[in-house]
């Protein structure tokens, strides 16, 4: 059985912030589409909620992968990148929370 391939470092390091950026664009695009097309507030909120759950799942998966990489015994190579990805995953999760906070506090088309 072969070991899983190590991802390229730059793309791995940038992955949590890319997930947050895609979430940011998706949520505000869905909000604009919902208002322009006359979607109900519930449908718009559900669509934005699904985008938020998907983004949090992606960031969680990336962070878990980095955490497991840190905890591998006898593997010191890539520890800095793994630690950085774990921290950026936490930061991206907080950023997703702040990005989606207006979704829960305000009506979509106000």
């Amino acid at each position: 059985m072969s070991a899983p391939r190590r991802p390229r470092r730059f793309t791995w390091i940038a992955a949590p912030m890319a997930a947050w950026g895609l979430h940011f664009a998706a949520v505000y695009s869905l909000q604009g589409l919902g208002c322009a097309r006359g979607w109900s507030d519930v449908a718009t909120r559900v669509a934005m909620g699904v985008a938020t759950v998907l983004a949090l799942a992606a960031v969680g998966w990336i962070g878990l992968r980095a955490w497991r990489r840190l905890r591998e015994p006898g593997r010191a190579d890539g520890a800095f990148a793994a630690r950085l990805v774990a921290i950026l995953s936490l930061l991206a999760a907080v950023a997703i929370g702040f990005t989606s906070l207006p979704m829960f506090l305000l009506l979509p088309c106000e």
Side-chain angles (χ1 to χ4, degrees), residues 3-101:
R5 278 185 3 166
R6 184 177 67 169
R8 301 203 190 282
R9 285 195 180 159
F10 180 72
T11 55
W12 191 37
I13 291 171
M17 291 294 116
W20 168 72
L22 288 172
H23 170 263
F24 187 85
V27 165
Y28 286 104
S29 296
L30 286 169
Q31 190 267 338
L33 277 172
C35 291
R37 305 267 171 129
W39 295 351
S40 70
D41 289 342
V42 173
T44 305
R45 284 187 184 203
V46 166
M48 291 189 298
V50 168
T52 300
V53 168
L54 289 175
L56 284 172
V59 167
W61 180 76
I62 294 165
L64 181 64
R65 191 170 170 204
W67 185 258
R68 286 182 180 167
R69 175 91 175 153
L70 273 173
R71 298 296 168 213
E72 285 180 1
R75 297 284 309 256
D77 64 325
F80 174 74
R83 188 171 288 117
L84 183 61
V85 170
I87 291 169
L88 285 175
S89 294
L90 183 61
L91 180 66
V94 170
I96 289 170
F98 277 116
T99 301
S100 58
L101 192 62

